[in-house]
Amino acid sequence: MIQTIAFYLFAVLVIASAVMVITARNPVHSVLWLILAFFNAAGLMVLVGAEFIAMLLVIVYVGAVAVLFLFVVMMLDIDVASLRAGFVRNFPLGLVIALILLAELVLGIGAYRAGEIALGTPMVAAAAPVGASNTAAIGALLYSEYLFLFEAAGLILLVAMVGAIVLTHRPPKTVRGHQNISKQVRRTPEEATVMKRPNVGEGIEL
Amino acid sequence: MTAFFQSLGLTFEAAWTIATIAGILLIALPLMIAVAYVIYVDRKVWAAINLRRGPNVVGPFGLLQSFADGLKVFLQETIVPSAANKGIFLLAPIVTFTVALAAWAVIPFSSGAVLADINVGLLYILAISSLSVYGVVMAGWASNSKYPFFSAMRAAAQMISYEVSIGFILICVVLYAGTFNLNAIVLSQLGHGFGIVNAYAFNLLLFPMWVMFFISSLAETQRVPFDLTEAESELVAGYQTEYSSMSFALFWLGEYANILLMCSLNTLLFFGGWLPPLNIDLIPWFDIPGIVWFLLKTFFFFFMFSWVMATVPRYRYDQLMRLGWKIFLPISLLFVVLISGWLMLTRFGDEEPVASVAVVQAGPDRGNALVPLATLREPRKIIP
């Protein structure tokens, strides 16, 4: 009973917020609706018992990816009127893409109905270990059966990261503002200050 | 508590619903009162270190000061700037406050005294604390004003930066405990330090992690010396500049609830949570209820937070980023490697991993499909 209510609550909210993502006028609102959609998807994951995936979904997508989206979108100065002016010009292209997507959907569903797809059957090893906790089960599969795929994914991410750094890193043109923290920490009062006792009206020479 | 309500003749689902709501109120209401007094303590400690008196007018020793402030704020007018994005402007404090309260669902106050004893408790806390940045960012953007916007930018960058190293530090603790469940993490600290101290912080490998966690939790809650989001001298009051009345108070309450959460995480992960400090029976330590130990330790960490606030000057923004990315991240990454290596060395062949046993057991039910898994491969021995 509670599960059913929770399922329909999450499912309706996912779809509704996904619709709002593409209909909202303001891009910041779009990102916020997207976050709500992620969050409710995580709720659905919890309902099917995949709590580890649900938490990772929130941590990675809501906690990191969407914050960066929001970060970028907030700083954009989007003029809604000029966007809408391009609507008529881009309409034929959009219509073509929509038709292609529709055809793909129809074909996909038709093929699925026609019978089992041989390529789609799960591998033997992918059968989930029963009785273990979520985290342990994922770990046992990921670090044994799928170790090479896992490490390959890690390498790809590493390459992406290095690429992003190489593309965006500019060496500073000037050295202004460069601060050597360990040198500052090593400084002692003895070498940084001088105690003088000047006579009245004479001043001091440094 | 569900069993109690069931004994009154309710069905399981009704009893569960009522018990959960009662549990939420049992946590949230004392938490709000704790926040009121913690603000008072904060001001008193700060004043004592500055050789001032602090609040001492409202009630005996000024004990009712926070409630007087709350009443004052409650009676003010809520002002929404005309250029603000109204919906998000009003939503932001609600998000901050709700998120700050939601994280408390998995905190064990005493042995088994926890609202949701879930397997992924620590991950849940990470997930929820990564949400708390949205309150600040939404407030900063919706205010449609310069200083709140700068503050929101700073907050987003700061919290993402420090969450990375906090994640690695938590992985170290999880490696030692072998679980994400907070109750189990507390129990795994029984007699951990030299056989007598119930704390991970007395482990030489984990002590540096605790120091970094403490500093990161200051940054994560935007406390001094990392309170760049509301640096008065630069940003007026940061993201709270345009807020007044209860919407301001919700930020205030949420902020202190987050600080208390970080204090209790320090306690739970590194100082034995609700366990007494020492694992010896000289004094009847274990007869004292666990919640007393938990609250005492949490309060100690709050005292340290106030102490830092009164003594350390604010960091500059580039220094903050340097500390997070160039110092904490490499060191915590190194310690993940060190600790997992040490655990491989010391716990080698300790016990069968749970999951591979389960795979073997699942074999017969699932027909031939799983036989290769069970027969071709030796059961792995090295899982910490």
Side-chain angles (χ1 to χ4, degrees):
Chain A
M1 169 64 175
I2 293 173
Q3 281 95 331
T4 320
I5 295 174
F7 172 77
Y8 280 109
L9 180 75
F10 288 139
V12 166
L13 278 175
V14 168
I15 294 172
S17 46
V19 169
M20 289 306 291
V21 172
I22 50 172
T23 52
R25 291 278 180 83
N26 191 327
V28 173
H29 291 184
S30 284
V31 176
L32 292 176
W33 284 114
L34 185 67
I35 292 162
L36 188 64
F38 282 146
F39 208 64
N40 284 298
L44 286 176
M45 298 276 191
V46 170
L47 278 186
V48 295
E51 71 251 15
F52 187 74
I53 304 279
M55 292 305 149
L56 284 197
L57 186 74
V58 176
I59 292 174
V60 174
Y61 283 92
V62 180
V65 176
V67 173
L68 295 180
F69 276 12
L70 200 60
F71 212 86
V72 172
V73 166
M74 275 189 344
M75 289 197 272
L76 294 177
D77 189 22
I78 295 176
D79 186 10
V80 182
S82 69
L83 277 182
R84 298 194 76 81
F87 180 75
V88 179
R89 203 181 33 175
N90 292 331
F91 183 72
L93 184 65
L95 200 65
V96 171
I97 292 176
L99 281 178
I100 292 173
L101 283 179
L102 182 70
E104 280 184 351
L105 266 182
V106 170
L107 278 176
I109 293 170
Y112 180 75
R113 287 259 172 130
E116 284 195 16
I117 306 166
L119 284 174
T121 50
M123 276 170 60
V124 171
V130 181
S133 86
N134 230 300
T135 321
I138 290 177
L141 277 179
L142 210 56
Y143 291 106
S144 57
E145 216 57 52
Y146 297 109
L147 184 63
F148 289 111
L149 292 176
F150 181 67
E151 291 192 340
L155 271 180
I156 292 170
L157 285 177
L158 182 70
V159 169
M161 198 168 81
V162 171
I165 292 172
V166 166
L167 285 177
T168 54
H169 183 71
R170 300 267 184 283
K173 280 175 188 149
T174 58
V175 287
R176 188 177 64 83
H178 181 72
Q179 183 181 22
N180 188 341
I181 297 228
S182 57
K183 196 177 157 196
Q184 287 182 350
V185 171
R186 276 200 310 273
R187 226 160 81 119
T188 56
E190 286 75 38
E191 62 186 89
T193 53
V194 185
M195 296 296 282
K196 294 266 187 180
R197 190 177 293 250
N199 291 324
V200 175
E202 284 182 11
I204 51 166
E205 268 181 49
L206 287 174
Chain B
M1 215 190 298
T2 311
F4 168 73
F5 283 108
Q6 263 183 307
S7 68
L8 296 179
L10 292 165
T11 62
F12 175 77
E13 282 173 349
W16 179 85
T17 311
I18 294 174
T20 308
I21 292 172
I24 291 170
L25 290 179
L26 260 179
I27 292 173
L29 293 182
L31 180 66
M32 282 299 100
I33 295 170
V35 163
Y37 276 104
V38 138
I39 293 174
Y40 168 77
V41 169
D42 206 16
R43 296 172 67 175
K44 272 289 190 193
V45 170
W46 197 7
I49 294 177
N50 289 355
L51 299 180
R52 292 184 285 113
R53 281 173 191 274
N56 64 349
V57 175
V58 191
F61 309 107
L63 275 170
L64 299 176
Q65 181 67 47
S66 299
F67 296 100
D69 287 347
L71 193 68
K72 180 198 79 177
V73 160
F74 184 70
L75 293 174
Q76 281 174 339
E77 181 193 355
T78 306
I79 301 168
V80 181
S82 56
N85 197 311
K86 278 193 192 55
I88 296 180
F89 185 82
L90 293 175
L91 196 63
I94 299 174
V95 168
T96 308
F97 184 71
T98 316
V99 163
L101 285 187
W104 287 86
V106 293
I107 298 286
F109 294 93
S110 177
S111 175
V114 46
L115 183 64
D117 196 15
I118 55 176
N119 275 331
V120 288
L122 202 50
L123 282 178
Y124 173 80
I125 289 200
L126 259 187
I128 293 293
S129 73
S130 68
L131 281 180
S132 58
V133 66
Y134 284 108
V136 179
V137 172
M138 283 158 74
W141 180 79
S143 296
N144 201 359
S145 161
K146 272 192 224 63
Y147 296 121
F149 191 68
F150 284 144
S151 163
M153 291 285 129
R154 283 183 176 187
Q158 176 176 339
M159 292 179 84
I160 292 178
S161 309
Y162 279 84
E163 235 153 56
V164 179
S165 55
I166 282 188
F168 280 123
I169 294 167
L170 295 188
I171 284 176
C172 293
V173 175
V174 168
L175 281 174
Y176 253 102
T179 173
F180 279 112
N181 184 308
L182 283 168
N183 228 343
I185 289 177
V186 169
L187 277 177
S188 71
Q189 299 180 42
L190 191 66
H192 185 81
F194 312 116
I196 47 168
V197 191
N198 296 331
Y200 271 150
F202 288 85
N203 180 326
L204 287 182
L205 275 172
L206 283 172
F207 179 73
M209 292 291 97
W210 168 65
V211 175
M212 284 168 54
F213 185 74
F214 183 74
I215 299 173
S216 300
S217 51
L218 287 173
E220 186 76 4
T221 49
Q222 289 144 21
R223 281 285 283 197
V224 180
F226 305 110
D227 62 337
L228 288 143
T229 54
E230 44 200 280
E232 306 86 2
S233 48
E234 305 157 25
L235 297 179
V236 192
Y239 58 93
Q240 303 165 344
T241 306
E242 305 289 344
Y243 282 88
S244 61
S245 182
M246 273 316 276
S247 49
F248 174 74
L250 285 183
F251 273 125
W252 201 235
L253 292 173
E255 193 177 297
Y256 272 90
N258 267 331
I259 289 167
L260 278 182
L261 180 80
M262 278 299 170
C263 294
S264 67
L265 274 186
N266 269 298
T267 309
L268 289 170
L269 299 176
F270 291 98
F271 280 84
W274 38 263
L275 292 170
L278 295 177
N279 192 23
I280 35 178
D281 266 337
L282 288 178
I283 326 168
W285 297 99
F286 285 91
D287 295 340
I288 300 173
I291 189 163
V292 175
W293 291 118
F294 175 78
L295 292 180
L296 275 178
K297 290 173 181 177
T298 306
F299 182 74
F300 171 72
F301 279 108
F302 185 78
F303 174 72
M304 284 185 57
F305 269 57
S306 315
W307 191 1
V308 170
M309 177 164 97
T311 46
V312 184
R314 183 181 298 135
Y315 261 53
R316 216 172 49 210
Y317 194 69
D318 61 319
Q319 293 170 334
L320 170 91
M321 282 296 149
R322 180 182 168 275
L323 185 69
W325 288 106
K326 290 191 176 170
I327 299 179
F328 279 8
L329 184 60
I331 294 183
S332 56
L333 205 54
L334 176 73
F335 267 84
V336 170
V337 177
L338 270 183
I339 285 175
S340 44
W342 173 251
L343 289 177
M344 288 288 270
L345 202 68
T346 50
R347 296 192 191 172
F348 185 83
D350 213 357
E351 55 190 287
E352 289 282 297
V354 186
S356 83
V357 173
V359 171
V360 178
Q361 280 167 351
D365 305 336
R366 296 191 155 235
N368 293 331
L370 270 169
V371 172
L373 245 194
T375 52
L376 289 182
R377 221 185 315 109
E378 294 271 301
R380 286 174 300 280
K381 282 184 179 166
I382 21 168
I383 278 193

